[in-house]
Amino acid sequence: MNVRADLAQRREELHAVIRAAAIAEFAEHGLRGASTQGIADRAGISKTKLHYYITSKEDLYQEVLDHIIGLWDDLFHETPDSDDPEGFLRDYIARKLLFSLEYPDVSRVFTSEVMRGAPMLRAHWDASRTATGRAADRIAGWVAAGLIRPVDPWLLQFNIWSLTQAYALHATEVRFMLGLDDDAPLDLDHITQEVTQLVLRGLRP
Amino acid sequence: MNVRADLAQRREELHAVIRAAAIAEFAEHGLRGASTQGIADRAGISKTKLHYYITSKEDLYQEVLDHIIGLWDDLFHETPDSDDPEGFLRDYIARKLLFSLEYPDVSRVFTSEVMRGAPMLRAHWDASRTATGRAADRIAGWVAAGLIRPVDPWLLQFNIWSLTQAYALHATEVRFMLGLDDDAPLDLDHITQEVTQLVLRGLRP
Amino acid sequence: MNVRADLAQRREELHAVIRAAAIAEFAEHGLRGASTQGIADRAGISKTKLHYYITSKEDLYQEVLDHIIGLWDDLFHETPDSDDPEGFLRDYIARKLLFSLEYPDVSRVFTSEVMRGAPMLRAHWDASRTATGRAADRIAGWVAAGLIRPVDPWLLQFNIWSLTQAYALHATEVRFMLGLDDDAPLDLDHITQEVTQLVLRGLRP
Amino acid sequence: MNVRADLAQRREELHAVIRAAAIAEFAEHGLRGASTQGIADRAGISKTKLHYYITSKEDLYQEVLDHIIGLWDDLFHETPDSDDPEGFLRDYIARKLLFSLEYPDVSRVFTSEVMRGAPMLRAHWDASRTATGRAADRIAGWVAAGLIRPVDPWLLQFNIWSLTQAYALHATEVRFMLGLDDDAPLDLDHITQEVTQLVLRGLRP
DNA sequence: GATGAATGAGGGTTCATTCAT
DNA sequence: TATGAATGAACCCTCATTCAT
């Protein structure tokens, strides 16, 4: 009875493994530099088997991109509309950093795509712009209410993105500078504290 | 007499053209994704001719990396030792942003290399760490002198790097969100103002 | 009791479907260009299922070839020995053309095999040559009896074959030249009339 | 001075060799069944070298098709407008057969393309139809003048095409039936004689 | 009997690089 | 110095076929 279910689940699991492998490979080498052999190796399967489960490298890449967008949407869809900037920003920054340090390759794939002009991201960006616009309105509301000093609501968001993603993109550099091993974990709490303080104090009226 | 000089100069010029082409190609596709054909096309020469002037793709990439490090060294080597945090930071941020918006591909190549684990950057990083450590000491001095609030001097530097480079890495995204054309210039002064304010106010004692 | 019979019949039916699909695929692309996926699609079954019923692509091809030979044998085995050239030829040409227009793919597969040197047809050709020789004798008899003008009995047969099969092989071209749709039927009667006249008059003593 | 000319000539020669190899391979296996390895082998060069000279297998195929059309155009462009059916047809049939026996693979490639629906021939066929229409008019003129018996001018042309090309398409079969070796030459004069007689007598008023 | 999964060989093509002139 | 020709390795992907259930 659940033979079918088992099969479906297995397929799903393998697909997840492949996706993870693809994210790692794309994060390191970008779309063009990534090889299906490399993805297969990371997934622990043969190249032929990989191609049995995917349509093409580009399709897999697009799927990864969609998956990333989905992850980020999930992560911030439930954000409560708040008139408490401090609480909201603390939460937002903490989440972003947590995710960045947990899944740095996700940010890397995204940035890699943006750096080449984001040809496969445009479809998603219309929705992103709308969401970012709504957030900008909220920030403008805070400014109007005197809760934070006057800032450009769009640039503030870009700045927070950059502060939180940088520890994913440049993790290797950060580790090196701090004298850590290449696989040592970064101190999430400390980073969160420092970034949060910079932003919150930087916005004081 | 100056035939030799002319030749040398011409060679130098072509080399600069090739380097610029390489930076653009590497910025878009990374080391592995970049093609010598793509570099040749951007340089306006044949692939054969390109290979006459370079040793290999990897060598050219290493040279580009060295060049980038040199550029950044030049940019900040003359920074005066200062006990005026605000003045220093204003200048530092402005320079970083100016360079980022002027030569975004440089930051992209650098980040791309870091994202793949920076295997060809380690040689330079010992010196970078030393310089960053000296800067950290200066920042610590500011803290000790009560000129700025207590911060982690290393993370502060990472944060400033991220804020200033983000507009290079994610220029495409920023333009899209702001409704600008893909080749429209970003508003350097406005960005500088916003980033500077965030940092300076964020550091107030 | 007739469960077995049903199964056998079902198997036979499916086999006929597969054969028809194979003929269509081989007619379009030849042995090497044909894909088992294409055959499976035409048969409306999965590739795996197809391979469950056949031994290999080559074997299926050989079987198709045997089937074709069998069809033609059936078609002309009962031809009565006749001393009436006109009657005989009218009947022969009409049958050939009828079959060609009805099952053009059969002629195409055959010609395709001949064009590649007929490696899998040689086994049959000994018998064919014998039959063709007997027919040549009959034709020679007509010549000797003054019923038709002197002709090479072998070439006459080749010529008739070519005239009748051409409307199968080149149906697409004929349709295009006549301004017909790609799937419009050709005018069998008219073609039969024209070909028959050309041959009969061409043989008048 | 003629270094360039030599290079160009060499290139031209190699291209001719490649085209001949391609015609042979396509004649035997069709577009889909042909392999670039097979073409390279026939041309006596490596597969890599082949791909240095061609754009793609499909492009090479299209070029071969264009070449074939060009050959046939050349062959019959200078045909004089004549009110002497016999002279004209003798010449036409003789030329067609000469070409067919000399370059049978050309006819095979053409027929192979037609058999798969002629997707890459349609562009040429508009011109072909026009030419065939003009020839049909001429034939109709002969009929009107009482020089030949009433026939369908289009079908007459198809029939002549089939009679002349058949010895190219089915050369293997013909040789086998006649007891000739696979590489023995066919008796051009005899075939020409037989075909010509069949047609001329078949058209007598 | 039937089906999804798997695979080794080979498909066409591109690549960075070297050769030859 | 400069260029067309050449090449071996690698690329992404498809193929006919077999396995496992």
Side-chain angles (χ1 to χ4, degrees), chain B residues 7 10-11 14 46 48-49 52-53:
Chain B
L7 282 179
R10 200 177 259 187
R11 199 181 168 82
L14 184 51
S46 71
T48 305
K49 189 167 179 179
Y52 181 75
Y53 281 92

Side-chain angles (χ1 to χ4, degrees), chain D residues 4-18:
Chain D
R4 282 189 97 93
D6 273 13
L7 281 181
Q9 191 189 336
R10 261 206 171 172
R11 208 184 161 81
E12 197 55 43
E13 281 170 21
L14 184 50
H15 220 85
V17 169
I18 289 173

Side-chain angles (χ1 to χ4, degrees), chain D residues 164-175:
Chain D
T164 49
Q165 276 181 231
Y167 290 90
L169 307 185
H170 298 123
T172 303
E173 190 186 11
V174 167
R175 281 198 181 86

Side-chain angles (χ1 to χ4, degrees), chain C residues 132-150:
Chain C
T132 309
R134 271 200 304 271
D137 291 343
R138 187 184 325 181
I139 294 168
W142 293 339
V143 172
L147 297 172
I148 61 173
R149 69 171 173 88

Side-chain angles (χ1 to χ4, degrees), chain C residues 7-19:
Chain C
L7 281 180
Q9 190 189 338
R10 202 177 257 183
R11 201 181 167 82
E12 197 53 42
E13 280 170 21
L14 184 51
H15 222 85
V17 169
I18 289 174
R19 194 193 302 117

Side-chain angles (χ1 to χ4, degrees), chain B residues 124-197:
Chain B
H124 290 291
W125 272 358
D126 287 313
S128 295
R129 178 159 51 184
T130 305
T132 308
R134 271 200 305 270
D137 291 343
R138 187 184 326 182
I139 294 168
W142 294 339
V143 171
L147 296 173
I148 62 174
R149 69 172 173 87
V151 292
D152 182 317
W154 292 86
L155 294 200
L156 174 59
Q157 291 185 83
F158 302 154
N159 289 337
I160 293 175
W161 294 349
S162 96
L163 284 167
T164 49
Q165 276 181 231
Y167 291 89
L169 307 184
H170 297 125
T172 302
E173 190 186 11
V174 167
R175 281 198 181 85
F176 185 92
M177 293 290 160
L178 296 180
L180 301 174
D181 281 347
D182 272 0
D183 50 359
L186 296 179
D187 186 341
L188 173 62
D189 288 342
H190 183 53
I191 293 172
T192 304
Q193 176 71 10
E194 291 289 313
V195 171
T196 305
Q197 285 303 313

